[in-house]
């Protein structure tokens, strides 16, 4: 079979795999949304609905039909992008999500970049200088990152760096004077303001994003540095490293060209997982920083029992999760010559 | 002048239960010959090889009265100086090409790297030399192998690639640490012959480290027997069956032979006195 | 005493029980050498003690309000750690809150790994379609972001500590299933399982008596390492008001209460956070230490 042919099949298989997982995911959200609450109608129309509204919603939800049929209706809706209407603002959930998701993406992307550019070199150095003070510091950094509640650290960071020192912007994505000044192209203010040439907005956005992004970045670098160190230690014990040294290579070449070259592919998976983790971590961070992303969208919806919004958000984040995992698997098999 | 001169080499490692002496006072010289070092696991033979290349890292400790290549002392060299010695003047072939070759780097790149570390040359010239070297180790399709990855090669080919890679910078001394132990018996002879041919052609000295007494006796000129970090006996390979030391005799006697049928193979009885006695000098 | 020690470090055990105790003792010695891990263990023992003795060591009731004494700072007369916005003693609330933390942790630590063990060993042992289906289900749960899924569950079930435990457990079990399945697969093919089968052992006996004991070590390491994450998730749920209902002194909820006053009365929110941090840290240290002892393959 030609290489294009086998590539084609791989894509089909991957799409199939994603589909099965997504159907399962949707089934679970369906169960959470319809089957679990004591009265799913109430969770949609609210407790003060009239009997007419209740009955209308009951039929509209198809609750008189068997569960499986209900699920297929739900599936059809989701595939059309219809997550229902938000109870809070009576707008389609999908529109809300489209509005808030880029904010989270911006935060998670910046945080992951932070985590990668600091975490990877830290992990490599910690492995090469094993058991020295650098290694111990890296370990402490990671340990703290695994043990500290992110919302608490965020609160304290905001208190210190904004409340006491005034070094960074306060809650929200931009200061009050800059809201809605930039036409949303991607939804990410940093990119949009740069595209539009509004550099004062850009600067202001930076002061607002830097603290939450650094916070997420810290957690990302804790994980990434630990994994990098672990991978590097594994490689540095391998025979081919001895071979490289026998050839007379400099230590720099041994560490970066040979050992690091062998972990690049594993790191892709780690970075994808870290990104996914930051999407999740944003839920609690966004509340602290009043960041209008999908995290605060879901939690606000949750506290108002707006099931459509909660489930819609869950499905979208779940979809991104699944795609990230699959994407990293694909990259892995593309770049590791042994897996081909 | 000898190619290699080692005097009173000691290698030790600190462990939680005390200091472990892997090599305890080994002395020998190497000329343009094939020297075999035989011993069981734990005898310190591999450590000797690595210590000569100063590959042993802290907390391991290497001390010696003298380690000299072609008269030049390498024991006191800085790490930077050692890097120009490694590969260019002395090289080592490791045991299993499955692990000793970088799995994500193409074979050709690994060989050209070995050359360009020590010689400034154009890419085309380096590539030509690498292909030449692959031919010299009897690889029939050097272009294809050049582009391949190590896991696509068989064990025998992998080892030949290793030899090519280690000989391309034209060192004077080659240490081969169990070069055939990971290979099929059918391929072992082939690989050894290729190594031998190249070593003779270039007037090099070869140290062959192995646990296989038969292999060493048939392949080498001179043999050192190591036990518990010391050399217990040294003799010419063809005089091995006249060996005196009870350990060597014990090793020889525990090998099965077609022409001397026995009902029971001898089991080596170890005498603690062997590890106490001072090391025999392996100077030729 | 020294004869007991000699008995434990002997090279020639006299019975199976003796051998088990001896290897346990060896493991303990190795664990003890890691001082940080030991610190983690000490902190956790303290936590259990504090939780158990709460009614006796807490200086006040965690619920009694004293509106005349609101927001007292650290080191005040009656209140070592100050008071919150309703005048309740923070130290006492912290101490009683440890019970809630322990309760959640203990429940999840039982439910999630046991569920995962069942699913994983059955999938690994039976193989075929059962394996595929069970692993698909596991993958689907793994595909969900844990906190968000837990939030969705709590949204449907309603707030409350038991629902929070259930929600966290539902998101925590998949990794254990994976571990158990991997172990089962590697053990299933070994010779001694074949030997036991030849002796007439049925699937149930093989799974329970031979496979489960071997999975336990990896599961224990994984649980302790997961603990920190579970505590943080529970704290997150509490912070959002989805865990224990007020006026329960749950640490996450205490942080939320103190958040409103953080500019001028920073300790109300800070102190519970430190408690959460300490306990998570202790679990991480303990887990690292256990992993170093029980899993020799790991890189330290």
């Amino acid at each position: 079979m030609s290489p294009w042919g086998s590539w084609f099949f791989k894509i089909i298989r991957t799409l199939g795999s994603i589909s099965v997982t997504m159907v399962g995911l949707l089934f679970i959200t369906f169960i959470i949304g319809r089957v679990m609450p004591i009265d799913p109608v109430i969770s949609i129309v609210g407790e003060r609905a009239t009997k007419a509204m209740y009955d209308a919603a009951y039929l509209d939800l198809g609750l008189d039909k068997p569960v499986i049929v209900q699920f297929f209706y739900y599936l059809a809706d989701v595939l059309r992008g219809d997550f229902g209407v938000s109870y809070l603002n009576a707008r389609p959930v999908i529109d809300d999500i489209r509005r808030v998701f880029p904010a989270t993406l911006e935060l998670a992307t910046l945080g992951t970049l932070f985590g990668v550019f600091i975490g990877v070199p830290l992990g490599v150095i910690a492995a090469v200088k094993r058991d020295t003070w650098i290694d111990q510091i890296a370990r402490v950094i990671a340990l703290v990152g695994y043990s500290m509640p992110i919302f608490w650290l965020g609160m304290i960071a905001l208190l210190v760096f904004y409340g006491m020192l005034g070094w960074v912007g306060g809650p929200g994505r931009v200061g009050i004077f800059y809201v809605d000044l930039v036409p949303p192209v991607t939804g990410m203010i940093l990119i949009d303001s740069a595209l539009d040439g509004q550099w004062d907005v850009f600067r202001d956005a930076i002061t607002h994003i830097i603290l939450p992004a650094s916070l997420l970045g810290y957690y990302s670098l804790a994980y990434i540095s630990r994994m990098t160190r672990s991978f590097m230690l594994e490689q540095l014990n391998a025979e081919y490293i001895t071979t490289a040294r026998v050839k007379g290579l400099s230590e720099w070449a041994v560490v970066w060209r040979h050992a690091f070259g062998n972990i690049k592919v594993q790191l892709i998976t780690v970075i994808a997982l870290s990104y996914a983790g930051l999407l999740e971590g944003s839920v609690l961070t966004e509340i602290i920083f009043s960041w209008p992303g999908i995290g605060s969208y879901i939690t606000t919806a949750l506290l108002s029992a707006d099931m459509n919004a909660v489930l819609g958000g869950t499905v979208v984040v779940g979809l991104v999760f699944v795609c990230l995992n699959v994407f990293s698997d694909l990259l892995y098999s593309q770049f590791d010559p042994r897996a081909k | 002048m000898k190619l290699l001169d080692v005097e009173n080499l000691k290698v030790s490692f600190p462990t939680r239960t005390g200091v472990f002496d892997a090599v305890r006072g080994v002395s020998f010289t190497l000329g343009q010959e094939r020297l075999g070092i035989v011993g069981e696991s734990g005898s310190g033979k591999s450590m000797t090889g690595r210590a000569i290349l100063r590959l042993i890292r802290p907390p391991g400790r290497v001390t010696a009265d003298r380690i000299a290549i072609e008269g030049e002392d390498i024991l006191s060299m800085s790490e930077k100086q050692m890097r120009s010695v490694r590969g260019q003047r002395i090289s080592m072939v490791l045991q299993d090409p499955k692990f000793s070759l970088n799995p994500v780097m193409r074979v050709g790149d690994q060989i050209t790297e070995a050359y360009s570390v020590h010689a400034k040359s154009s890419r085309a010239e380096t590539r030509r030399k690498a292909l030449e070297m692959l031919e010299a180790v009897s690889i029939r399709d050097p272009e294809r192998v050049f582009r391949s990855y190590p896991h696509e090669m068989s064990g025998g080919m992998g080892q030949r690639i290793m030899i090519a890679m280690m000989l391309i910078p034209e060192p004077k001394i080659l240490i081969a640490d169990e070069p055939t132990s990971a290979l099929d018996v059918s391929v072992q002879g082939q690989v050894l012959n290729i190594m031998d041919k190249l070593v003779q052609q270039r007037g090099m000295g070869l140290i062959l480290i192995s646990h296989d007494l038969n292999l060493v006796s048939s392949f080498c000129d001179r043999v050192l027997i190591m036990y518990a970090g010391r050399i217990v006996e040294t003799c010419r390979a063809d005089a091995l069956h006249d060996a005196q030391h009870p350990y060597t005799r014990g090793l020889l006697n525990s090998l099965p032979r077609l022409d001397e049928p026995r009902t029971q193979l001898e089991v080596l009885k170890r005498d603690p006195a062997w590890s106490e006695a001072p090391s025999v000098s392996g100077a030729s | 005493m020294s004869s007991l020690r000699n008995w434990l470090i002997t090279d020639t055990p006299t019975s199976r029980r003796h051998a088990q105790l001896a290897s346990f003792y060896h493991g303990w010695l190795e664990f003890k050498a890691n001082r940080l891990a030991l610190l983690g263990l000490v902190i956790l023992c303290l936590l259990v003690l504090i939780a158990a003795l709460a009614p006796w060591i807490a200086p006040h009731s965690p619920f009694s309000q004293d509106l005349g004494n609101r927001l007292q700072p650290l080191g005040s007369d009656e209140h070592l750690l100050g008071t919150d916005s309703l005048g309740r003693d923070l130290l006492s609330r912290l101490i009683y809150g440890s019970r809630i933390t322990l309760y959640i942790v203990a429940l999840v630590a039982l439910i999630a790994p046991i569920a995962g063990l069942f699913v994983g060993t059955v999938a690994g042992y039976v193989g075929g379609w059962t394996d595929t289906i069970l692993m698909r289900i596991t993958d689907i749960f793994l595909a969900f972001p844990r906190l968000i899924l837990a939030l969705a569950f709590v949204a449907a079930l309603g707030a409350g500590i038991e629902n929070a435990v259930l929600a966290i457990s539902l998101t925590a079990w998949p990794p254990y299933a994976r571990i158990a399945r991997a172990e089962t697969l590697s053990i299933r093919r070994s010779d001694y399982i074949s030997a036991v089968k030849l002796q007439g052992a049925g699937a149930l006996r093989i799974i329970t008596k031979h496979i489960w004991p071997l999975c336990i070590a990896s599961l224990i390491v994984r649980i302790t390492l997961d603990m920190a994450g579970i505590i943080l998730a529970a704290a997150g749920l509490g912070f959002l008001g989805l865990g224990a209902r007020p006026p329960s002194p749950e640490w996450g909820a205490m942080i939320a209460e103190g958040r409103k006053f953080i500019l001028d009365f920073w300790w109300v929110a800070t102190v519970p956070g430190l408690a959460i941090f300490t306990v998570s840290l202790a679990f991480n240290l303990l887990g690292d230490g256990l992993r170093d002892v029980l899993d020799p393959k790991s890189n330290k």
Side-chain angles (χ1 to χ4, degrees), chain B residues 160-212:
Chain B
R160 282 181 276 163
I161 291 170
M162 190 65 163
I163 295 172
M165 192 163 70
M166 287 306 159
L167 291 182
I168 196 170
E170 291 172 18
K172 270 303 190 192
I173 304 171
L174 181 69
I175 304 180
D177 191 354
E178 309 263 16
T180 53
S181 306
L183 301 177
D184 279 344
V185 176
S186 49
V187 181
Q188 282 177 6
Q190 227 176 52
V191 169
L192 281 174
N193 284 334
I194 290 171
M195 204 164 57
D196 187 33
K197 181 185 75 171
L198 289 168
V199 163
Q200 305 272 45
Q201 258 174 21
R202 295 157 178 236
M204 290 167 63
L206 172 72
I207 301 180
L208 179 63
I209 302 176
S210 178
H211 58 271
D212 188 340

Side-chain angles (χ1 to χ4, degrees), chain A residues 3-325:
Chain A
W4 289 115
S6 72
W7 227 80
F8 183 69
F9 265 106
K10 209 185 273 185
I11 303 234
I12 295 285
R13 250 209 318 260
T14 313
L15 283 177
S17 177
I18 300 184
S19 312
V20 174
T21 313
M22 282 315 293
V23 169
L25 224 119
L26 286 165
F27 188 68
I28 294 181
T29 49
F30 170 72
I31 301 236
I32 296 177
R34 299 289 170 80
V35 178
M36 275 167 61
I38 305 147
D39 190 342
V41 186
I42 300 267
S43 72
I44 303 282
V45 300
E47 290 177 358
R48 281 174 290 152
T50 63
K51 178 132 180 26
M53 284 167 69
Y54 186 97
D55 289 338
Y58 190 89
L59 287 173
D60 189 53
L61 283 176
L63 286 172
D64 48 330
K65 304 207 173 54
V67 176
I68 288 293
V69 176
Q70 289 184 44
F71 178 59
F72 277 111
Y73 276 125
Y74 177 67
L75 210 54
D77 283 340
V78 168
L79 282 171
R80 271 180 314 189
D82 180 8
F83 287 108
V85 168
S86 163
Y87 166 57
L88 274 183
N89 56 23
R91 284 214 296 262
V93 166
I94 187 76
D95 288 343
D96 285 341
I97 292 182
R98 220 178 276 150
R99 197 188 65 235
V100 296
F101 203 53
T104 307
L105 281 180
E106 197 177 17
L107 203 52
T109 308
L110 215 55
T112 307
L113 285 174
F114 191 85
V116 169
F117 283 113
I118 301 188
V120 168
L122 183 63
V124 171
I125 296 177
V128 171
K129 301 249 184 256
R130 184 183 179 166
D131 290 338
T132 59
W133 61 273
I134 298 187
D135 191 12
Q136 304 292 14
I137 290 187
R139 182 157 183 232
V140 169
I141 290 179
L143 217 45
V144 166
Y146 285 161
S147 317
M148 218 175 260
I150 193 171
F151 55 92
W152 181 75
L153 189 60
M155 233 165 56
I156 301 214
L158 199 56
L159 173 71
V160 170
F161 290 105
Y162 170 65
M164 292 184 187
L165 293 172
W167 285 358
V168 298
R173 291 180 83 184
V174 283
I176 204 163
F177 299 112
Y178 296 105
V179 175
D180 283 338
L181 274 186
V182 172
V185 175
T186 62
M188 301 197 212
I189 296 190
L190 285 179
I191 300 183
D192 291 344
S193 58
L195 283 177
D196 203 42
Q198 294 198 42
W199 294 105
D200 48 346
V201 182
F202 183 82
R203 272 196 302 271
D204 185 63
I206 293 243
T207 62
H208 280 87
I209 202 175
I210 187 140
L211 195 56
S214 306
L215 187 69
L216 285 175
Y218 179 74
Y219 284 83
S220 174
L221 92 85
Y223 174 61
I224 292 182
S225 72
R226 220 68 209 131
M227 298 308 288
T228 307
R229 176 186 183 272
S230 176
F231 294 153
M232 282 301 283
L233 282 180
E234 224 181 296
Q235 296 305 313
L236 288 173
N237 279 328
E239 283 282 278
Y240 72 86
I241 294 292
T242 310
T243 307
R245 294 204 175 108
V246 168
K247 287 198 240 181
L249 287 174
S250 70
E251 200 58 20
W252 201 91
V254 169
V255 166
W256 288 99
R257 203 187 307 161
H258 284 263
F260 186 75
N262 268 268
I263 68 168
K264 283 199 284 215
V265 178
Q266 288 171 289
L267 276 185
I268 292 181
T269 314
V270 166
I271 294 175
L273 282 178
S274 177
Y275 194 90
L278 289 194
L279 284 181
E280 200 182 337
S282 72
V283 169
L284 294 166
T285 319
E286 286 177 10
I287 297 182
I288 302 285
F289 290 90
S290 305
W291 195 265
I294 201 164
S296 37
Y297 181 71
I298 293 181
T299 34
T300 322
L302 199 143
L303 294 170
S304 324
D306 186 354
M307 283 312 288
N308 278 344
V310 171
L311 294 176
T314 308
V315 169
V316 168
V317 179
L319 177 64
V320 175
F321 249 56
V322 171
C323 290
L324 274 172
N325 277 318

